[in-house]
Amino acid sequence: KAGVTQTPRYLIKTRGQQVTLSCSPISGHRSVSWYQQTPGQGLQFLFEYFSETQRNKGNFPGRFSGRQFSNSRSEMNVSTLELGDSALYLCASSLRRNYEQYFGPGTRLTVT
Amino acid sequence: QQPVQSPQAVILREGEDAVINCSSSKALYSVHWYRQKHGEAPVFLMILLKGGEQKGHDKISASFNEKKQQSSLYLTASQLSYSGTYFCGTEEGTNAGGTSYGKLTFGQGTILTVHP
């Protein structure tokens, strides 16, 4: 079975721009969660999607948004990028909510 | 609220044992444990649910004290491959379907280094 895939793997953007990251979960997995990982703040929860609905959201500003499609693929969008948004963005999928999560390799976003 | 992990770092020789603790000030519904090696994605180790249900790998064991909101991960007879950063993730709430269901809050991590 193919693992969780994330695209792109690396991204460099300029302050003020917007970015869209993509996540393809393991086949059959319906829950997708997104996390931001930085050396200073660690692993922080962004959102959880299940059956195309956002079920939970972390403490991030409204510039961070996401969605899930009918095939469980998910995207997250960050608008008006700030330097502090530079991070590794990880997507994780699971068969159902509150179950073991399988993480993708992440997208390394650098904002200059 | 972020759970607190202890110790922050531990160094072992192959074959030695270690315990990593995770403590929360909130009522918990579940505790998850993950290991992340440098430059790689976190990998699932164990999930412990309120009520005693557990799911994880055969060589990893953990406990969840629901009254104290604490969990411990037990690593026995450590191997070089155990090296990495261990994270606990907690899910607040007292029942499935609560408002925080599905939201994992991770601790700051415990760096485990195993030497030959």
Side-chain angles (χ1 to χ4, degrees):
Chain A
K1 232 180 197 181
V4 178
T5 58
Q6 292 187 245
T7 55
R9 292 291 312 279
Y10 303 90
L11 206 49
I12 301 175
K13 289 285 189 179
T14 305
R15 257 186 315 176
Q17 288 185 315
Q18 75 157 20
V19 66
T20 300
L21 312 181
S22 181
C23 171
S24 292
I26 291 172
S27 178
H29 285 197
R30 297 171 61 196
S31 176
V32 173
S33 297
W34 287 89
Y35 299 89
Q36 182 196 65
Q37 187 172 32
T38 59
Q41 300 298 320
L43 261 172
Q44 292 189 283
F45 174 84
L46 279 158
F47 347 86
E48 180 218 1
Y49 286 89
F50 183 78
S51 293
E52 302 177 63
T53 303
Q54 187 180 93
R55 304 291 176 149
N56 243 307
K57 190 178 192 309
N59 297 325
F60 280 83
R63 300 185 296 105
F64 291 81
S65 63
R67 58 179 175 168
Q68 186 180 34
F69 301 95
S70 58
N71 61 359
S72 294
R73 192 177 69 84
S74 178
E75 287 181 348
M76 68 163 280
N77 184 278
V78 187
S79 62
T80 320
L81 284 166
E82 300 177 0
L83 295 178
D85 296 334
S86 294
L88 180 67
Y89 289 88
L90 292 161
C91 159
S93 77
S94 58
L95 199 57
R96 59 175 192 254
R97 302 184 70 201
N98 188 39
Y99 209 58
E100 59 190 277
Q101 295 188 5
Y102 292 85
F103 283 81
T107 294
R108 173 76 61 185
L109 172 65
T110 303
V111 182
T112 62
Chain B
Q1 186 144 356
Q2 187 180 38
V4 176
Q5 289 184 231
S6 63
Q8 291 188 355
V10 59
I11 299 173
L12 300 174
R13 293 266 179 215
E14 263 188 303
E16 292 181 337
D17 302 338
V19 180
I20 300 172
N21 302 301
C22 175
S23 179
S24 175
S25 59
K26 301 285 188 178
L28 300 178
Y29 177 72
S30 71
V31 179
H32 301 222
W33 286 95
Y34 290 82
R35 176 174 61 215
Q36 185 176 30
K37 294 181 181 285
H38 185 69
E40 298 180 9
V43 173
F44 170 80
L45 296 175
M46 176 77 71
I47 180 173
L48 304 103
L49 299 172
K50 184 179 171 69
E53 184 181 347
Q54 294 187 7
K55 184 181 189 301
H57 294 284
D58 293 338
K59 296 187 178 181
I60 301 285
S61 64
S63 64
F64 178 22
N65 186 322
E66 296 171 28
K67 289 184 179 177
K68 293 187 176 180
Q69 315 308 327
Q70 294 174 347
S71 177
S72 295
L73 185 71
Y74 304 97
L75 303 167
T76 57
S78 60
Q79 304 170 19
L80 295 176
S81 61
Y82 285 13
S83 293
T85 301
Y86 289 76
F87 293 98
C88 71
T90 57
E91 185 181 29
E92 296 173 14
T94 56
N95 59 282
T99 55
S100 293
Y101 192 67
K103 176 181 177 181
L104 273 187
T105 303
F106 283 94
Q108 80 280 16
T110 295
I111 301 172
L112 178 75
T113 304
V114 181
H115 290 299

